[in-house]
Amino acid sequence: ALNACRDAGVQVKIITGDTSATALEIARQTGLFAGDPPPGAHMTGVEFAALDQQRAAVAVERMLVLSRAKPADKMRAVKLLQKNGHVVAVTGDGTNDAPALNHANVGLAMGMTGTAVAKEASDIILLDDSFPSVVNGIMWGRSLYGNIQRFVLFQLTINVVALGIAFFGPFIGVKLPLTVIQMLWVNLIMDTFAALALATEPPHRSVMKHPPRHADDFIVTPGMARRIFGVGASFLAVLLSLLVFLQNDGITPRELTVFFTIFIMLQFWNLFNARCLGLTQSAFKGLYNNRGFVFIAGAIFIGQVLIVQFGGSVFRTVPLSFADWVMILIATSPVLLVGELLRWRDRTRTFRAAA
């Protein structure tokens, strides 16, 4: 568990009222450090209390073990770490731990051995009193945050394309490239289906290899923004070019149906790419483990087929032939193929760097 914390960029410190010998031996056995502690890694409560605020703020960064500590020392360490810009989680089980548990960004009390006061002061109760449960909590938290980012990525990409089509369509000569009813179907895919598909993605252990994000970071990272506008601009260029091409000899209902279907299928394939945000694995790896995603992706595709084949004047569509569907699928599939190639490239680079 400590190794997982180190990989995840989480610093672990032992603050205990036990003797120095006991605390240092526990630190060695758990791999906090090997052999003798590095300079400044171990302090006693008396030594820590004797430091002024400026020196204590520096010392608390290097300190890994604080032995013979009083509750006031634990509280002081929490405040200093927070003042230094850290997000601090505190574990504790006793009544004396309550102030630190309450003041920490995240207080974790022991469910089996913790006192009622400690549980009341904490944010989370560990039912099994196990430190690895804290690590699992970090993994789940990061994974859920990543799922939210995946949904935001997919949603904003569709927004960029849909707004661009609605804005530029009249300039090309097509007043309604997408009708209001068609846009409602797009919004249903964007808001409801995508949220269900991407929010149910199971946690990935690989998130524990990423450094922690800053508490003030915007949910849309610079990389996400580049991807949103880059992919959105690419889709928009393809769709507008298609409109210009179709406009040359007058747009027929069938051609508008093809345009609408191509728009949806571009987003359909992009849904698989959004699933892999922050990962280098294939979009098909572990797909069976998320049956919700498979079901919703299938529902989007089947729903589009039903709308096109039977929507009629309500959706402003005409039935397409089997050959038309095959051509549309082939023409839009490079969205996923390019994503797979880029992820394969990233996997290769990672493998070479590790070697």
Side-chain angles (χ1 to χ4, degrees), residues 245-305:
F245 174 76
L246 297 176
Q247 180 68 8
N248 290 333
D249 55 354
I251 298 182
T252 64
R254 177 183 175 278
E255 290 171 336
L256 285 173
T257 301
V258 170
F259 175 82
F260 171 50
T261 305
I262 289 176
F263 175 85
I264 295 298
M265 294 313 300
L266 288 174
Q267 309 307 332
F268 174 79
W269 295 121
N270 194 44
L271 182 64
F272 288 83
N273 288 334
R275 178 178 180 260
C276 296
L277 176 66
L279 306 172
T280 59
Q281 67 182 31
S282 169
F284 299 102
K285 182 178 180 180
L287 193 61
Y288 184 75
N289 296 329
N290 189 354
R291 297 183 182 180
F293 182 93
V294 175
F295 175 80
I296 291 171
I300 293 173
F301 180 76
I302 294 173
Q304 181 63 23
V305 172

Side-chain angles (χ1 to χ4, degrees), residues 287-333:
L287 193 61
Y288 184 75
N289 296 329
N290 189 354
R291 297 183 182 180
F293 182 93
V294 175
F295 175 80
I296 291 171
I300 293 173
F301 180 76
I302 294 173
Q304 181 63 23
V305 172
L306 293 177
I307 286 172
V308 169
Q309 300 301 117
F310 305 103
S313 60
V314 175
F315 283 91
R316 198 188 66 183
T317 58
V318 295
L320 298 178
S321 66
F322 180 77
D324 291 333
W325 280 103
V326 172
M327 289 300 297
I328 290 172
L329 288 173
I330 293 175
T332 56
S333 62

